[in-house]
Amino acid sequence: MSQLSFSDVGVDFGATKLFSGITFTVAAGERWGVIGRNGTGKTTLFRLLTGEMRPTRGAIARQPGVRVSLLEQHRDFGTATNVWEAAAGELAELLALEQSLEEQAIGLASDPSDAAMDRYGHDLERFEREGGYGVAARIDSVLHGLGFDPERARTTPVSTLSGGERGRLGLARQLASNADVLLLDEPTNHLDLETTRWLEEFLLSTDCTVVVISHDRAFLDAIADHVLHFEGDSATAYSGGYKAFVAQRTERRLTQQRQFDQQQRKIASEKDYIARNLAGQNTKQAKGRRKKLDRLPRLSAPIGEDGTMAVAFDVGERGGDRVVAAVGATIRVGDRTLVEKCTATLMRGDVLGLIGPNGSGKTTFLKALFGDHALAGGELKLGGSITAAFYRQDLSQVPLDKSLFEIINDLRPTWERRLVQGHLGRFGFSGDEVQREADTLSGGERARVGLAMMMLSRSNLLVLDEPTNHLDVESIEVLEDAIDQYEGTVLLVSHDRELLRALTTRVWILHDRHITDFDGGFAEWETVSAERAHAASVREAEETAVRKVRERQRVEPRRDESSKARDDRRKQRSAQAELEKVEAHITELEQRIASVSAALENPELYTKPGGITEAASLGREIETLKRDLDAAMARWALASEN
C-alpha cells in the first residue's frame, strides 16, 4: 500500500530552481535512503513530506491518517523535565492512564462497587488495546539502545545534557513514538559504532516506513531497500541498498553517455550536410533538415564528478619510524579516568583507526597528543621529525573572524591571488564566495575549508577526528581516495565503518579505560569480534523481555477483592513460592548473561592466543543462557497468572 507519492514535483525559491521532475512512491514498510550533495534539496524533501511546505510544481499524495514523525534539527522536548519524560513524548497520555490504573487498583480494595469496577475495566481494556503494557518497556529499550540508563533517565534533567546527548534523546523520542513513517535526518551523527549497529537492528525490525537522510554508506547499505539520489536539479529512485545504488548509477551514467555521444555524432553529421548543401542543388533538403534539427530535443551530458572536492595530501618530509609513542599514559577529566596506563606505538605508514564508545575519551586522547590536555601520568608524544595536521571534530581550527581568502592567504602569504582562488576552487568555493566570512558557513562548508587548510600543511601525520560528520557521500568518497593515496601516517577517529574498512591497517580499541592494539584492519576486527555484537543483541533482547514482564507485573490489576478473591488467596500463596523461585532463577541467569557479555565485550579477548576459540565458546554459552532465560520467563508468566 502506497503511503507517500511524489509526481513530477519541483520547488523554486524565487527565481532559483532547487529541483524539478521528482517522481517516486513509498510503500508501507519500505526503508528509503536519501543521499546527494549538500544543498541539493534533501532537507526540503522532508519539509514536503511532512506537509510543512508545498511544492511549486507537481503533486504529493499521502495516505489518509498516516502519522509522520520528523527528527528536528532543534530538539524541543516541550515541558518534559527529565530524560525519560522527554523520550516518552506523545506516549505521555498512555503513561498517565497507566498511573490512573495503579491508583484505581488500590482503590478497589475499599470501593469494589460496580461503577468503580466498570470504570477500571473500561480503562484497562483501552490500555491493553493501545499496547500499554509494552510502552514503558519500549521506552526503556530505546533509551538503553541509544546509550542511556533507563533508571537514571527518570531523574536526569534534560537541561544537563550535551548537544550530542540531546541529539540521541531526540532520536529516542522519535523511535518510541507511534508514528507510521519515520523521517530521520543524519541519525548516526551522534552515535558510536555499537549504537549505530543497534539502530540498524531496530530499523530492520520495525514495521514503520523509514525515510533517512544519511552519509553513512555502511548504514545505508544495511537498512535501505531503496535509494533516492539527488543529483543536478532532480532526484532519481533506485532499488536496493547503497552498493546496489552505486552499481545502478554507474550503469545509468554509461547509458546516458552513450546516448549523448550518439546524439552529438548525429547533430554533427546533420550540421555538416546542411553546411555543404544549403546553397547548392539540395538546398530544399538542407533547409528541411535544419528545421528538423532545430526541433530536436537535446540530451544533457551525464552528470559526473564535477563539483566535488579535489583533495590530495602531500608529504613534505619523511619523518621518523616511530610516529606516536605512549608509555604508561594516563588521561583524566576531573576525577574521571578516561585512559589508564596506555603503552602503544604508531609506526610510519600505518593508517590507525581509534574506536570506542561515545564519551570514552577518544577526542581527549587526541588533544593530549597535541598538548591541549595535560596528562595525569606517563608519556604521550610525537616522534622525531614528525609534523602533524589535526582535523578537529568541532572544526575549531577554522578561524571564524576571517574570510576564506584570508584563511588560505595566511597559510601561503607568497601566493598570488589567482593561486589562492584556485585552491579554494578545488573545494567548491568560486567567484565572490572566497570573500565570505567563515562564521557564515554551514557545517559542510566549514569542513571543506578545514580540509583545504590541512592539504596545505604537507604534514607526515594526519590526525582526523570524525572528518565525515559534515560531508556528503560524494565528498566522503573523494576524501577516502585522498587518504588512500597519502604516503604518510594517519590516525583516524571515526564511526564511518565503510571508511574504516577501506583504509585502516591497524586498530586501537578504547574500552573500559584501556587501549587494546589490534594488528589488523577494521574489517578484520569486525570479523573476529562478531561474537561481541551477537552478545550485545542477546543481552538487549533479554533485558527488553524482562522489563516488559516486570512492567506487566507492576500494572496488572488486583482483581475484585470480593469473597471469591479471598477464596483464591490460599492458591496464590502456594503459587507465590514458585513465583519467587522462578524470579531468583531469572536473576541468576541475567547475572550470568551480563558476565559472559562483559567477557565478550573486552577487546583483549580477541588479541590473545586462543581468544577467538574462547569467544566462540562464550557465544555458544550465551545462546544456551538465552534459551534457559526464555524458558524461565515462560514459567514466570504462567506462575504469575495463578
Side-chain angles (χ1 to χ4, degrees):
M1 179 185 295
S2 173
Q3 287 185 321
L4 303 166
S5 178
F6 274 46
S7 178
D8 199 28
V9 170
V11 170
D12 298 341
F13 290 109
T16 302
K17 180 171 70 174
L18 180 61
F19 54 69
S20 63
I22 296 182
T23 299
F24 69 101
T25 299
V26 179
E30 289 182 341
R31 296 181 299 276
W32 283 72
V34 182
I35 61 175
R37 295 175 187 170
N38 292 333
T40 52
K42 301 187 297 293
T43 301
T44 300
L45 174 77
F46 274 14
R47 294 175 64 192
L48 293 170
L49 287 171
T50 60
E52 176 189 345
M53 181 177 177
R54 288 183 171 274
T56 308
R57 296 172 299 282
I60 300 173
R62 301 177 190 82
Q63 179 186 352
V66 68
R67 296 167 296 182
V68 179
S69 173
L70 172 62
L71 175 60
E72 298 178 354
Q73 184 178 6
H74 303 290
R75 322 298 183 197
D76 180 11
F77 301 114
T79 59
T81 57
N82 62 57
V83 169
W84 205 90
E85 289 177 355
E90 65 183 35
L91 300 175
E93 182 180 352
L94 201 55
L95 293 168
L97 179 59
E98 176 186 32
Q99 180 63 36
S100 173
L101 282 170
E102 291 183 31
E103 295 170 356
Q104 289 180 58
I106 295 172
L108 288 176
S110 57
D111 178 19
S113 65
D114 290 344
M117 289 296 294
D118 287 345
R119 179 193 173 199
Y120 184 85
H122 179 270
D123 287 352
L124 181 61
E125 180 184 358
R126 177 192 164 200
F127 185 73
E128 291 176 335
R129 184 178 64 252
E130 297 182 10
Y133 285 125
V135 167
R138 182 169 67 185
I139 296 169
D140 282 352
S141 177
V142 170
L143 284 170
H144 183 271
L146 292 175
F148 294 98
D149 183 313
E151 291 301 320
R152 193 175 301 165
R154 286 171 164 81
T155 57
T156 302
V158 173
S159 59
T160 65
L161 300 183
S162 65
E165 288 171 330
R166 290 180 69 88
R168 285 188 285 124
L169 179 57
L171 180 57
R173 182 188 183 100
Q174 189 176 18
L175 297 182
S177 72
N178 287 323
D180 301 307
V181 180
L182 299 176
L183 304 182
L184 306 174
D185 191 350
E186 299 291 1
T188 64
N189 264 5
H190 301 290
L191 307 185
D192 55 35
L193 294 170
E194 294 300 325
T195 312
T196 298
R197 290 191 184 97
W198 175 87
L199 179 60
E200 287 176 359
E201 293 297 324
F202 181 94
L203 295 179
L204 288 171
S205 64
T206 185
D207 295 329
C208 296
T209 301
V210 178
V211 184
V212 55
I213 297 172
S214 180
H215 62 256
D216 188 327
R217 295 163 292 172
F219 175 72
L220 288 172
D221 202 51
I223 65 107
D225 50 33
H226 292 78
V227 170
L228 184 67
H229 181 215
F230 279 80
E231 190 173 45
D233 62 354
S234 190
T236 305
Y238 296 85
S239 297
Y242 183 79
K243 290 178 182 176
F245 149 72
V246 171
Q248 293 173 58
R249 179 187 60 179
T250 301
E251 182 61 32
R252 183 170 179 268
R253 285 178 174 174
L254 287 173
T255 300
Q256 288 177 325
Q257 187 67 58
R258 286 194 293 266
Q259 293 172 343
F260 177 77
D261 292 343
Q262 184 179 10
Q263 187 183 69
Q264 290 301 303
R265 288 193 297 269
K266 180 180 178 180
I267 291 172
S269 175
E270 290 294 289
K271 285 182 175 179
D272 179 64
Y273 178 89
I274 293 166
R276 286 187 290 105
N277 294 281
L278 189 61
Q281 187 176 1
N282 297 323
T283 182
K284 186 175 181 179
Q285 292 91 327
K287 289 180 179 178
R289 289 195 181 191
R290 184 170 62 181
K291 290 180 180 179
K292 187 177 179 180
L293 185 62
D294 290 341
R295 292 194 298 267
L296 178 69
R298 297 302 201 266
L299 297 176
S300 300
I303 299 172
E305 302 304 321
D306 295 341
T308 57
M309 298 187 303
V311 189
F313 297 118
D314 189 21
V315 175
E317 182 183 0
R318 179 181 181 276
D321 290 335
R322 292 165 62 90
V323 178
V324 175
V327 180
T330 297
I331 301 173
R332 294 194 183 99
V333 173
D335 57 358
R336 181 188 171 204
T337 300
L338 299 178
V339 179
E340 188 171 20
K341 297 181 180 178
C342 168
T343 298
T345 303
L346 174 61
M347 302 301 292
R348 184 176 63 84
D350 280 340
V351 179
L352 172 72
L354 175 59
I355 63 175
N358 282 344
S360 59
K362 302 184 296 296
T363 296
T364 308
F365 181 90
L366 299 184
K367 290 180 178 179
L369 175 63
F370 283 88
D372 297 336
H373 186 91
L375 291 173
E379 292 185 349
L380 176 63
K381 59 184 181 180
L382 299 174
S385 302
I386 298 301
T387 56
F390 188 7
Y391 180 98
R392 299 173 185 267
Q393 183 178 173
D394 61 4
L395 298 172
S396 59
Q397 70 272 28
V398 180
L400 298 181
D401 58 345
K402 296 183 179 180
S403 70
L404 307 190
F405 184 91
E406 291 170 335
I407 290 171
I408 301 303
N409 190 60
D410 287 350
L411 296 174
R412 289 292 186 273
T414 61
W415 274 10
E416 297 178 6
R417 184 179 186 84
R418 62 180 180 83
L419 294 177
V420 175
Q421 291 179 315
H423 184 70
L424 285 167
R426 293 169 63 100
F427 292 85
F429 301 102
S430 58
D432 293 339
E433 284 187 308
V434 303
Q435 298 301 332
R436 287 178 62 185
E437 295 292 317
D439 62 357
T440 68
L441 301 179
S442 67
E445 290 170 329
R446 284 179 62 195
R448 284 188 274 130
V449 173
L451 291 172
M453 296 168 64
M454 177 173 269
M455 183 171 158
L456 297 178
S457 69
R458 304 192 71 209
S459 302
N460 49 37
L461 170 63
L462 302 182
V463 179
L464 301 157
D465 189 3
E466 300 289 3
T468 64
N469 267 4
H470 301 284
L471 299 179
D472 54 51
V473 170
E474 286 88 346
S475 297
I476 292 172
E477 290 173 340
V478 170
L479 176 61
E480 182 180 300
D481 291 340
I483 296 174
D484 187 47
Q485 296 165 16
Y486 176 61
E487 296 181 355
T489 307
V490 179
L491 201 172
L492 173 64
V493 172
S494 180
H495 64 270
D496 187 323
R497 287 163 294 168
E498 202 64 32
L499 191 73
L500 291 167
R501 289 167 186 163
L503 298 175
T504 54
T505 58
R506 70 184 311 110
V507 181
W508 286 357
I509 306 99
L510 178 52
H511 173 78
D512 194 23
R513 304 187 307 279
H514 293 92
I515 288 181
T516 300
D517 187 354
F518 179 73
D519 188 12
F522 181 75
E524 296 172 82
W525 166 249
E526 284 187 304
T527 300
V528 301
S529 64
E531 290 294 348
R532 298 175 75 242
H534 175 63
S537 64
V538 168
R539 188 173 179 183
E540 168 64 18
E542 297 315 312
E543 286 181 351
T544 299
V546 170
R547 283 193 294 267
K548 195 167 184 176
V549 288
R550 287 182 175 168
E551 182 65 21
R552 186 182 185 95
Q553 182 187 37
R554 185 170 69 88
V555 181
E556 187 67 33
R558 296 180 179 180
R559 298 297 182 182
D560 183 10
E561 287 288 332
S562 61
S563 58
K564 183 182 181 301
R566 289 192 293 273
D567 291 339
D568 289 339
R569 288 176 186 170
R570 288 189 296 274
K571 295 179 182 178
Q572 291 176 353
R573 280 195 294 269
S574 62
Q576 185 65 31
E578 173 65 13
L579 191 63
E580 292 175 356
K581 180 180 178 181
V582 175
E583 288 177 343
H585 185 47
I586 289 173
T587 300
E588 181 183 342
L589 289 170
E590 287 178 314
Q591 291 172 347
R592 181 57 187 160
I593 287 176
S595 176
V596 175
S597 297
L600 285 168
E601 289 169 3
N602 188 350
E604 294 181 1
L605 171 65
Y606 305 91
T607 59
K608 69 181 184 181
I612 305 302
T613 302
E614 184 180 346
S617 176
L618 290 171
R620 290 190 294 272
E621 181 181 354
I622 205 168
E623 275 297 318
T624 301
L625 290 167
K626 178 182 181 296
R627 288 193 295 271
D628 291 346
L629 184 55
D630 287 343
M633 295 299 294
R635 287 172 56 200
W636 180 91
L638 182 62
S640 65
E641 291 175 0
N642 295 331

